[in-house]
Amino acid sequence: MKNRGSFSIAMFLLFTCTLATKCVAQESNVWENYKNAVQNNTEPILPNFSYAGYRFSETGIPEAAHKVFSVQDFGARPNDGISDKKAITKAIEAAEANGSGIVYFPAGKYLINTKDDDLNTIKITSSNIVLRGPKNPSEKAILFFERDMPPTVPEHLWTSPYAIQTKTANESTFITDITGAARRETHTIQVSDASKIKKGDWVIVQVKDNDPKFVEQDIYPLPLNPKWTSIIEDGVQVNERHKVASVSGNKITFVEPIHYTISEQQNWKLYTFPHLTEIGFENLTFEGNWKKNFVHHRSAQDDGGWSILNLTGLVDSWVKNCTFTNINRAIYFSHCAATTAQNLVIDGKIGHSAVSVGGGSTGVLLAFINDKAGMQHASGVGGGSTTATVIWRSKHPAHSSFESHASQPRSTLFDNIEGGFFSGRAGGAVKNLPNHGRYLVLWNYKETDAPETNFPFVAKDMEYWRVVPPIVVGFHGAGTTFKPDEVQIVESLNAPVKPESLFEAQLELRLGELPKWIQDLKNDSPK
């Protein structure tokens, strides 16, 4: 190991294959390090990503069996050219009043945000609500959003509301101070008073500290740019969401590991995490009316006119088997945990962003996302110190690249991604840089655009692309190489490694076997 400041940064020898050489996947040294660390209870190089997803990915997404509230029973009439928004809202309200419900859309086209409608967001404010279309793929329920949602602040192009939003009624509140130190990738913390905490609670592990030494340590070895005012003034921010497994005195053990080392030098705190559970969207097509050729930041319409799902404050929830057509932003996950989006298609006109995870979310799984349109920002992360996001077995075209939208995302896994890979598409204002913090992991990423020599994670020709050195394993496809001083690890360059999927391997190691839902999803998903 080579020590850089207070961090140990491993640099493995490059195993490089030319494009003309047939390469056989080798067992990853980084993976061996992880297995040994788990066995010996030492700190691994890799974060443990295996807890991402619905119910920590230990089980598949359920077939919810609540009482059915058909939107047609509340006045919706597909294919008649008349708005169905009020009927849909009434059906959701009836399901919420019941305490649970399937809001069902029979096949057909339902109109929302027509000239006769208000442009208020449709809100879901209770747990156990599922919006569902027909299970038979030949029968499509289409939610067509005719008009765009104008920005709430006209001069701020990014403020267009989403058409549908989940929202909790309560705000997060302070519980107690965290005392003592705790190493990353461990499960137990010490607090000053655990009397208000019990098994099964969800809490937020939080720090906000602008001590210059702490800031420097957080972004090392990147030099601090005076323009990065968010991290300079507001400080390093961590907002990890965790489920309590047990409480013993003032020791709290979480189901999942923490991903940031807790030091006594900072003032770490524990907060409540108000949330909704078992919210689902499935077998639906969300269609916008976006017909223009996209230009980034040209207008509020380009950046967010047809924004569909803003999923805020969710635990153990999902979006599955849905299509998003002619939209500007498909899904934004904010303040979520243990939630999954799987088997999604984004097609039609190019828009602003695909599926984005932000707002301090922890352990969100994006699985089999097929961005056929090639959004300006393909699926990825950003905002609010989001942690332990997994983007797994997903695709985007060569003209697009993954999102890492600044505001302190950390510990993100791009696992078996196929698509373009280049700087300048990550997004984020200069004041909110760097684009990504420590432990960005690219695992068996297949690049489909043109290769680059000495690809930079610190761009020289722009000020918008700055990434704390990532871990790059099994990167292949085009022949791109990386600058050695801008990566934490490069292993097996231009040749995939074993295990093929880090997420699957970590999950199998934790559970002793790979859950059946994983193989079922791989078998059922389009290749």
Side-chain angles (χ1 to χ4, degrees), residues 16 62 114 141 159 189 231 246 344 379 397-398:
T16 306
T114 69
T159 62
I189 64 170
I231 197 167
S246 64
L344 308 184
S379 297

Side-chain angles (χ1 to χ4, degrees), residues 467-486:
V467 174
V468 173
I471 298 168
V472 183
V473 178
F475 192 95
H476 65 286
T480 288
T481 59
F482 298 92
K483 297 182 68 175
D485 61 339
E486 292 184 2

Side-chain angles (χ1 to χ4, degrees), residues 85-86 360 420 453:
K85 185 174 184 178
K86 289 181 180 178
T453 300

Side-chain angles (χ1 to χ4, degrees), residues 136-148:
N136 188 337
S138 65
E139 299 181 83
K140 296 188 181 299
I142 301 170
L143 279 62
F144 179 73
F145 301 86
E146 184 175 291
R147 289 192 295 163
D148 61 304

